[in-house]
Each structure stands twice: as C-alpha cells, then as structure tokens.
C-alpha cells in the first residue's frame, strides 16, 4: 500500500516531473487549439527527443500534452466554430452560439471546469476498475463494433437541426468520403476515380478543417458589416451553483466517455458524440434549445472527451491495445524504454501503472489552472473585425492542413470541402453529420466485413449472433429502442402511459 501511494504521488513531489507535466499541459492546450496540429503528431515527435530520457520524465511530458491537447480543441471551437481536434466537433454546436451571444468567457470557463471533472472521473475509474473494464473491452467482437457504429450513425437525429432528411443525406455523404482509398480487406482502390493521390484516403482532419474552417470563413462574408459582439469575460469561473446544477449530467457523460474510451480504436470524438446525444435525449428543460447556446450541449461533450482519456489508458496498460491514436504512440514509447504494455505490465512493473494514474490526476489539476488563464486574450479573437479575421482563418486552415502530411493535394481537398461546406450551410445543412459519417463510415465497413467473415459470410448466423450473445443483445436492444424513439410510436406510448 505504501509503495502504491509513493508511486501515485511521485509526479506530485518531484519538482522536475511537476515542471514537465505543467509544460506538457500548457503546450498541449495551444497545440490542440490549432486545427491540423494534432496531439498524436506532437507525442510522436516527442518520442524522438525523449527515447534517451528516464521513462518517468518522458511519460510526464506526454501525459501533459495528451490531457492539454484534448481540452485545447474546444477553444477555437467555441470562439471561431473551428474545432481544433475531432473530439471538439460537438463542442462547437453550442459553444459557438454562446460566443455569438457574447458569452465566450463563461463558455470557456465552464468547459474548463467540466473537462477537469470529466478527466478526474476518468482517472478514478482507471485506478479502480482497470482490470474489469479491460475484460469487458476484450469481449467486444467485430459485430459489437459494428453495432456501436450503427448506434453512432443513429445520432444523426440529434445533429441534424430541424431537418432529419438533410441530416441523413449529410451522414451518408460523410460515410462515402470516409470510404475513399484502399480497401483494407481486398487491397483494391475504392472510390478513387483512378487518382493515385486518393489511394491513402482523405484524412478526416482535412475534411474537418474545410467544413468547419473555410466554410465558416466564407459564410461570414455575408456579415462583414456586422459589428463584433463584445465578449463578457469578467466572470470566467462558473459559479458553484451552476457547476452543481450540471454535475449529474457531467457524471453520466463521464461514464459514457470512460466506457467508449476503453474500447480499442475509439476515442474522445466518438465519446463526445454519444454524450451530446445523451444530453439531448435526457435533458428536458435545457438552458436554451440545443444548437442555440445550451450550456448542457457544452457540458456533455467536454466532460466525455476528457473522461475518455482515462478510459483510453485502460486497454493500453492492461491489454497492450491502444484506446486511440495517442495511446498507440505511447505504447511505442513504452516499448522503446524496454517495457511490455499488456497483462504483465501491472505484474512486472506496477509502478508504471500507478505513476501514470497520479500523473493523469496532476495533469488535470494543471489543466484547471492553465485553462482558466489567458481566456481574456483568447476571447479577443472574436472581437477582431471580420475583414481581418477571415483572411487569418483561411491562412491558418491552409497551414494547418499542410502540416498534417506536407501534401499540397490535401490543401486543395480542404479548400474544395470548404466550398462544398459553404453551399451546404447556405441551403441549411449541418456539418456535424458529415463528420459523423467520415469517422464512423470506415468503422462500420471494416467491422461488418470482419463480423461476416467470422461466420463464413452466412447472413443468418450473423443475425442470430446479434440476439444470442449477451453483449450483442444489449447493443441490439439499445439500437431498437433508439429507432423506436425516432418514430411516432414513441409519442403514442408516452400518451398511453401518461393516461394510465
């Protein structure tokens, strides 16, 4: 017990580790805030500099960047409607309308506090239930990932605004974009139009920057004469009664974030989508309508995507399987330092597990401090005249896209998606469902084909497995309930039970 406590507090008591964690969080916030500069890229670059370091020092810096980067994407999502990271896409749905109302300071302050709460809940779950959650994640078969992807696509009803048909079209368009490239099963080109440049697919960050960055900049050309709204930044720290009001929603979405994060290959982007949908379905009287600046629409995704960080470490440390792209890179760092991520890690080197738990908790404390500072300067971005801001946004979009793979073709694609996104916005389409399709389309395709292959391509056996396996049965039942909830049958049943 004393050894466990000493490992937990190691990062807190060593000045060098404290400094590295703080530096990582601060750098991560600003890396995450710039579209195109991903946390995965930053951690990957770090490996080349830290392979000769002590493992604790290397992990402290990487954990700090990871935690700060996941949160950092929310700042530009709130201020400019340009998510700095995929996990911040849903943050923009209500965060940006809050900034348009002059409440950018309060929105960033609330997102910071709720991100820290979600992060700490994720760390607590990692410390207390890692072996149990890893066992659950290990039981997920390809058909279960297929069902999760289907469930994710059903969120289109929550992200479509006032037109479900437009949302269905958008998510289908996103899925088609996500499937462009080399077929992972047959190794044949798919939807590439004979272009060699498309064999590697279209990076979802390129699509995201185009649809949210360039499209928004072009759309704002309609409002060049509009006077920028003065942002209220005198009350950044949310009052205690507001935090307590949203705490139940925060706790529920944190659980969603941890569970989704613990599933290998998922991450904060999918967790935030599930959390946002959960908020829309369960919050009966939001502060404002969702999509128009509801605080609940900000709290749910921000809590979930930070809780998913703790969840992502579960399969990494206990199974040697990455929960997301960042933990995949961290696995490489552990291997380089002579460690063996997987079931034997907690037996052979338990101090690494408990050091990581303590370091994640420390990083979230630093996140609270750094997240609540510099907001006044950040919020001034919204007050910059649009004639100056729009060209700056376009330049950042180009630089951010080029920095992904140093590929000018991706810049052209990004600009093309920006023009497409502009016209879609003009005709009332939402960008969220398109990104949803881009993210979930490949997962849906790959997991379905793996599931069918596991039963010898027999459709009957595949359908039978959906109702005979306990985990698959639960997911199938949830999907059925969600489908029924989007039909007139829901209203009929509600009236019937209310009368009785």
């Amino acid at each position: 017990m004393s050894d466990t406590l000493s490992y937990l507090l190691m990062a807190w008591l060593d000045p060098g580790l404290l400094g590295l964690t703080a530096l990582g969080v601060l750098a991560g916030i600003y890396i995450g805030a710039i579209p195109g500069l991903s946390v995965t890229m930053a951690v990957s670059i770090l490996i080349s500099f830290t392979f000769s370091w002590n493992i604790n020092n290397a992990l402290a810096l990487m954990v700090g960047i990871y935690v700060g980067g996941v949160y950092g994407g929310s700042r530009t999502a709130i201020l400019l409607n340009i998510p700095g990271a995929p996990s911040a896409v849903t943050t923009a749905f209500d965060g940006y309308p809050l900034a348009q109302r002059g409440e950018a300071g309060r929105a960033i302050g609330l997102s910071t506090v709720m991100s820290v709460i979600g992060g700490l809940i994720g760390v607590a779950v990692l410390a207390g239930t890692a072996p149990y959650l890893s066992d659950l994640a290990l039981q997920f078969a390809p058909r279960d990932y297929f069902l999760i992807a289907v469930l994710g696509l059903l969120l289109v009803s929550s992200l479509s605004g006032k037109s479900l048909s437009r949302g269905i079209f958008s998510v289908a368009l996103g899925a088609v974009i996500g499937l462009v490239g080399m077929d992972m099963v047959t190794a044949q080109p798919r939807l590439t139009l004979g272009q060699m440049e498309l064999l590697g697919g279209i990076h979802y960050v390129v699509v995201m920057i185009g649809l949210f960055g360039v499209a928004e900049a072009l759309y704002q050309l309609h409002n060049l004469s509009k006077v920028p709204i003065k942002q209220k930044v005198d009350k950044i720290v949310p009052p205690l009664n507001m935090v307590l009001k949203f705490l139940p929603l925060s706790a529920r979405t944190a659980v969603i974030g941890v569970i989704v994060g613990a599933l290998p290959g998922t991450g904060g982007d999918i967790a935030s989508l599930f959390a946002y949908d959960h908020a829309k379905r369960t919050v009966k009287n939001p502060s404002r309508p969702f999509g128009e600046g509801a605080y609940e629409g900000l709290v749910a995704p921000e809590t979930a995507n930070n809780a998913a960080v703790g969840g992502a470490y579960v399969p990494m440390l206990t199974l040697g399987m990455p929960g997301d792209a960042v933990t995949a890179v961290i696995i490489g760092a552990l291997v380089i330092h002579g460690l063996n991520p997987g079931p034997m890690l907690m037996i052979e080197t338990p101090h690494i597990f408990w050091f990581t738990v303590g370091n994640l908790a420390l990083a979230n404390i630093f996140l609270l401090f750094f997240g609540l500072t510099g907001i006044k300067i950040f919020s001034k971005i919204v007050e910059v005249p649009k004639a100056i801001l729009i060209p700056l946004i376009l330049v950042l979009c180009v630089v951010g896209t080029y920095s992904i793979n140093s590929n000018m073709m991706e810049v052209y694609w990004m600009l093309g998606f920006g023009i497409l996104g502009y016209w879609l916005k003009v005709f009332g389409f939402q960008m969220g469902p398109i990104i949803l399709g881009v993210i979930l389309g490949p997962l849906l395709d790959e997991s379905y084909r793996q599931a069918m292959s596991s039963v010898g391509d027999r459709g009957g056996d595949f359908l039978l497995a959906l109702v005979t396996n306990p985990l698959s049965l639960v997911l199938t039942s949830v999907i059925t309930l969600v489908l029924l909830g989007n039909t007139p049958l829901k209203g009929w049943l509600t009236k019937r039970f209310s009368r009785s």
Side-chain angles (χ1 to χ4, degrees), residues 336-352:
I336 288 173
H337 284 85
L339 297 172
N340 184 26
M344 297 304 292
L345 180 72
M346 295 181 68
I347 298 173
E348 297 174 349
T349 52
H351 61 281
I352 293 296

Side-chain angles (χ1 to χ4, degrees), residues 63 78 147 163 278 281 319 403 417 426 429:
V63 165
I78 292 170
L147 292 171
S163 175
H278 171 77
R281 293 179 186 279
L319 301 174
S403 68
F417 282 116
V426 167
F429 288 84

